[in-house]
Amino acid sequence: MKKALLIGFGLVLIVVVALAFYGYERYQQFVTTPLPITQPTTFTIKSGSGVKRVAQDLMDQGLLPGDAFDTSIVFFEAYARTHHYAEKLKAGEYALNQGMTVDQLLKRFTSGQSVQYQLSIIEGKSFKDIVKAIRANADLKQT
């Protein structure tokens, strides 16, 4: 009886260790592999969004690798929390480039280096013309 119990415990222990090793390898692969960004794009973090919402939005836009178990969201959140990025996310619109890793992405999201748009106000224009130019610019939104 004791021998069977020890064998059963040993088998369970082997399975648990194997699964932990497999999970760790998948996590390391996720962290080191460039994200599936095929062309320069922008991503917006809305004010008040947490790391879980950001991960889900990235997944919805195809910017995180997808799999049958949705481990990318879990891995993204785990990496952000363990590396202290989760509490530093800043709202804004960010430029994303091909070849970026999770770490580079999170550094950008916490740096506040959001996309900047330009609007030239020409000297001598009336206030009415300036307001019209601002409203005509699709990149600018009144908040």
Side-chain angles (χ1 to χ4, degrees):
M1 178 68 176
K2 280 186 178 183
K3 190 173 185 178
L5 190 59
L6 283 174
I7 290 173
F9 178 73
L11 289 174
V12 168
L13 185 61
I14 289 171
V15 169
V16 167
V17 169
L19 287 174
F21 181 74
Y22 175 73
Y24 179 75
E25 287 298 313
R26 295 261 326 223
Y27 175 77
Q28 288 301 319
Q29 181 182 9
F30 172 78
V31 169
T32 58
T33 303
L35 296 171
I37 301 170
T38 56
Q39 60 187 2
T41 188
T42 60
F43 178 78
T44 302
I45 297 178
K46 295 182 179 99
S47 182
S49 293
V51 69
K52 195 173 280 193
R53 174 83 262 151
V54 170
Q56 186 62 56
D57 290 347
L58 285 166
M59 183 65 109
D60 292 345
Q61 292 182 28
L63 301 174
L64 284 181
D67 61 13
F69 302 109
D70 282 339
T71 55
S72 294
I73 292 173
V74 173
F75 289 162
F76 183 86
E77 187 176 352
Y79 188 84
R81 291 192 191 286
T82 57
H83 290 80
H84 307 289
Y85 290 122
E87 60 275 359
K88 298 176 187 172
L89 294 175
K90 294 183 167 87
E93 184 179 4
Y94 295 93
L96 307 182
N97 304 317
Q98 189 174 6
M100 290 181 85
T101 63
V102 172
D103 191 64
Q104 293 168 330
L105 184 76
L106 286 166
K107 280 180 181 170
R108 183 153 303 169
F109 289 169
T110 57
S111 70
Q113 292 178 329
S114 59
V115 176
Q116 303 289 315
Y117 293 101
Q118 184 174 346
L119 175 71
S120 298
I121 299 175
I122 300 166
E123 186 177 346
K125 290 284 185 177
S126 69
F127 182 73
K128 192 181 213 177
D129 291 336
I130 294 170
V131 170
K132 191 184 292 184
I134 291 171
R135 287 188 177 147
N137 190 322
D139 296 321
L140 301 177
K141 296 176 188 163
Q142 182 176 350
T143 57

